[in-house]
Amino acid sequence: MKKAFSLIVFVFMVAGATVKAQTNFINQLQTEIEGQGIISVDQDPRLTQIADAEELIPSTIATSKATSIATESKVKQDADGPGARAAGLHQKVRGYRVQVYFGGNLRSDQTKAQQVGTKVQSQFPELRAYTSFESPHWRCRVGDFTTHEDAAAYLRKLKARGFNEAMVVKSEIYVSRDQLR
């Protein structure tokens, strides 16, 4: 009996020491080891949680109507988040958007894509603008059109306002439940 109790205590001590000794993946990378260099990692804490296979807590994203330019990932979070009902975004389906900007991979291209999206939204407030990076290009697409005809109608309006390089492209779009019926 005494041996069994001692064995159980020993197992718990080893397990406790093992748990304390475990550090997350990033801490292991940043540990200084004599004779080797140091890796410095600066990233969003949610990436560390993913690398460590921890459960993520959904983040809320505050958006204002004046600055609703969004990356695809942000829009996906909006569609899945509590603000989805208010924004009318419920499901992602195949559809069409109008691409109003297609640039390179520089920060200036990102800025230009966001500026074009803001300009389109100021002239067409009913359209959502989506700025995204698909290596190696920044692009800005607007609208969530279920038919090519609807997208083509806005394409004509956009070209009339000076967006001469605009074109209709197939894309995954966000629609409300009413649009699915």
Side-chain angles (χ1 to χ4, degrees):
M1 178 77 170
K2 200 172 193 181
K3 286 184 180 182
F5 179 75
S6 297
L7 181 62
I8 291 172
V9 170
F10 177 74
V11 168
F12 279 110
M13 288 174 51
V14 169
T18 303
V19 169
K20 279 189 174 182
Q22 288 180 345
T23 58
N24 71 34
F25 176 73
I26 300 303
N27 287 344
Q28 289 177 1
L29 284 177
Q30 294 178 339
T31 302
E32 185 175 349
I33 299 174
E34 191 172 327
Q36 296 182 4
I38 298 174
I39 296 175
S40 177
V41 179
D42 183 28
Q43 68 180 15
D44 189 314
R46 291 176 289 181
L47 293 174
T48 303
Q49 291 173 326
I50 291 169
D52 294 335
E54 295 176 12
E55 185 177 336
L56 290 176
I57 300 169
S59 64
T60 56
I61 297 178
T63 59
S64 68
K65 290 184 181 180
T67 58
S68 61
I69 302 297
T71 63
E72 292 290 337
S73 61
K74 179 182 176 304
V75 173
K76 172 76 173 114
Q77 289 172 339
D78 285 347
D80 294 339
R85 308 283 184 278
L89 302 175
H90 297 286
Q91 189 165 347
K92 197 172 188 179
V93 298
R94 291 296 294 167
Y96 300 90
R97 290 196 173 136
V98 177
Q99 184 167 289
V100 291
Y101 178 79
F102 184 79
N105 62 358
L106 301 175
R107 185 169 302 276
S108 60
D109 295 312
Q110 176 186 10
T111 303
K112 178 73 172 163
Q114 291 170 339
Q115 288 171 344
V116 169
T118 302
K119 185 176 179 181
V120 169
Q121 279 197 303
S122 70
Q123 296 180 23
F124 299 93
E126 67 276 11
L127 296 180
R128 283 184 68 111
Y130 302 90
T131 300
S132 61
F133 180 78
E134 200 167 299
S135 186
H137 301 284
W138 278 99
R139 65 184 183 195
C140 180
R141 294 179 175 178
V142 296
D144 290 301
F145 305 104
T146 54
T147 66
H148 188 274
E149 292 77 26
D150 292 341
Y154 265 98
L155 175 64
R156 287 188 290 279
K157 292 178 186 178
L158 286 161
K159 285 193 172 193
R161 297 266 180 106
F163 298 97
N164 298 325
E165 296 181 18
M167 66 178 144
V168 175
V169 294
K170 286 184 179 181
S171 186
E172 287 194 338
I173 62 169
Y174 296 97
V175 295
S176 67
R177 291 175 204 228
D178 294 338
Q179 289 175 300
L180 292 174
R181 294 181 185 149

